[in-house]
Amino acid sequence: MRYWFLILFFPVLSIQAQQLNDFALREDSLAQYLTAMRKAKKEAERIEWNKKFKHLLTETLKMDNVFNYPFDSLKGISNLYAPDRSMRIINWNLEHENFTHTYYCYVLVPKANGNKCTVIEFNDQRQAITEPANKTLDNKKWLGALYYDIILNYQNGRKEYIVLGWDGNNHASHKKIIDVMIINGEKIQMGSPIFCMENGVVNKRIVLEYSSRAQISLKYKAKEKLIFFDHLEPETPMAEGIYEFYFPDGYYDGFVLEDGKWKFKSNVDVRRDKDYKDKFWKDPNNK
């Protein structure tokens, strides 16, 4: 019986090792393409390297067990799992000579019946989308961005993935985006009316536009269920509504999750909580 067990078990080990080796070889090529794309000085060269990267990645994502393969040598891309590992985002950008960007994204969803996963591709249509705060979009008409965080939320019994992202936009202004993904089979709805503003308006996503000379925060504090970001003000009163002249003013606003909705709060406190490293910390409010 011991010998039969070894005979049956050995091919499984061989297949696993062979597949890992195949993944590693593909990852090595992907990393080379990605590095070449980032280093290329001419846009035409970057486009060609990006085509090679995208083609090989598309083929690789069709392989069994790809959902759990880390691809951790692919630097400079977004490689995120949902908090419950129910989906995964692989996402990157191509920078153009005029300082605009094209974004690429795949969402991977494991299938219940085996080692395969559904792979959903996104199509960046930012230039064709006006008034994005109020639009319901999908993966075929996508407000492209480079995502760096996923927040899992439940609304009416369904999962909503709140994604935080960055858009290089152009030479004058950049954007930070809070968007919502709702997965329906092989399609993804983007946007959901869950962001309640001060004036009673409910938005489907949040777009913060600011000067490319500035840096702003857009982060999530899980303990407080708070998405916070820099409050932005125009450099001068005459620049009202011209977002390339908007800068952070030292205060923070945010959205707090209450009853399934994200409700706007102004001037939120984003100081981190004390932990074991703060042994000698003293609250300045306690005289």
Side-chain angles (χ1 to χ4, degrees), residues 168-220:
N169 197 37
N170 56 44
H171 74 284
S173 71
H174 293 172
K175 297 177 181 179
K176 289 285 183 77
I177 297 169
I178 311 173
D179 213 334
V180 187
M181 289 186 180
I182 301 168
I183 300 175
N184 297 308
E186 297 190 4
K187 207 173 179 186
I188 294 184
Q189 175 186 313
M190 297 297 298
S192 181
I194 57 173
F195 300 104
C196 303
M197 309 304 294
E198 274 185 311
N199 57 5
V201 172
V202 179
N203 288 344
K204 295 179 179 178
R205 68 180 51 77
I206 303 299
V207 179
L208 306 168
E209 187 172 359
Y210 57 96
S211 173
S212 60
R213 294 174 287 152
Q215 292 185 344
I216 74 165
S217 293
L218 171 62
K219 298 180 181 179
Y220 178 58

Side-chain angles (χ1 to χ4, degrees), residues 27-230:
E27 183 180 13
D28 184 63
S29 295
L30 286 167
Q32 291 182 45
Y33 295 160
L34 192 62
T35 299
M37 181 184 75
R38 300 298 187 203
K39 288 185 176 181
K41 295 182 179 180
K42 294 183 179 180
E43 181 173 329
E45 294 175 353
R46 290 197 294 273
I47 290 172
E48 285 305 310
W49 284 115
N50 183 66
K51 285 180 180 177
K52 292 181 179 181
F53 177 81
K54 183 173 184 272
H55 175 75
L56 181 56
L57 180 63
T58 302
E59 293 302 309
T60 304
L61 295 181
K62 296 176 183 177
M63 295 172 61
D64 288 358
N65 301 307
V66 70
F67 186 83
N68 293 313
Y69 187 77
F71 293 108
D72 49 14
S73 72
L74 301 185
K75 307 302 181 184
I77 72 168
S78 179
N79 186 3
L80 304 172
Y81 285 96
D84 63 349
R85 293 183 70 88
S86 58
M87 60 88 89
R88 181 183 187 181
I89 294 174
I90 297 179
N91 175 210
W92 74 98
N93 66 306
L94 171 65
E95 186 173 356
H96 301 288
E97 288 178 351
N98 62 357
F99 300 100
T100 63
H101 299 252
T102 300
Y103 297 94
Y104 300 85
C105 184
Y106 292 96
V107 165
L108 285 64
V109 183
K111 292 185 177 181
N113 58 351
N115 298 323
K116 296 185 179 295
C117 59
T118 299
V119 180
I120 305 168
E121 183 176 358
F122 283 62
N123 184 22
D124 185 358
Q125 294 286 306
R126 289 181 348 280
Q127 305 306 322
I129 299 169
T130 58
E131 300 182 359
N134 302 309
K135 296 288 175 63
T136 299
L137 305 170
D138 59 25
N139 54 292
K140 295 181 179 179
K141 188 175 183 180
W142 172 50
L143 189 73
L146 190 63
Y147 297 128
Y148 56 87
D149 200 4
I150 305 174
I151 304 159
L152 181 58
N153 184 43
Y154 290 88
Q155 177 76 357
N156 298 324
R158 71 181 181 186
K159 288 183 180 180
E160 293 186 340
Y161 302 95
I162 314 297
V163 287
L164 309 184
W166 171 87
D167 172 19
N169 197 37
N170 56 44
H171 74 284
S173 71
H174 293 172
K175 297 177 181 179
K176 289 285 183 77
I177 297 169
I178 311 173
D179 213 334
V180 187
M181 289 186 180
I182 301 168
I183 300 175
N184 297 308
E186 297 190 4
K187 207 173 179 186
I188 294 184
Q189 175 186 313
M190 297 297 298
S192 181
I194 57 173
F195 300 104
C196 303
M197 309 304 294
E198 274 185 311
N199 57 5
V201 172
V202 179
N203 288 344
K204 295 179 179 178
R205 68 180 51 77
I206 303 299
V207 179
L208 306 168
E209 187 172 359
Y210 57 96
S211 173
S212 60
R213 294 174 287 152
Q215 292 185 344
I216 74 165
S217 293
L218 171 62
K219 298 180 181 179
Y220 178 58
K221 295 185 75 174
K223 184 177 180 180
E224 294 86 350
K225 298 188 183 300
L226 168 69
I227 301 171
F228 71 90
F229 46 89
D230 284 276

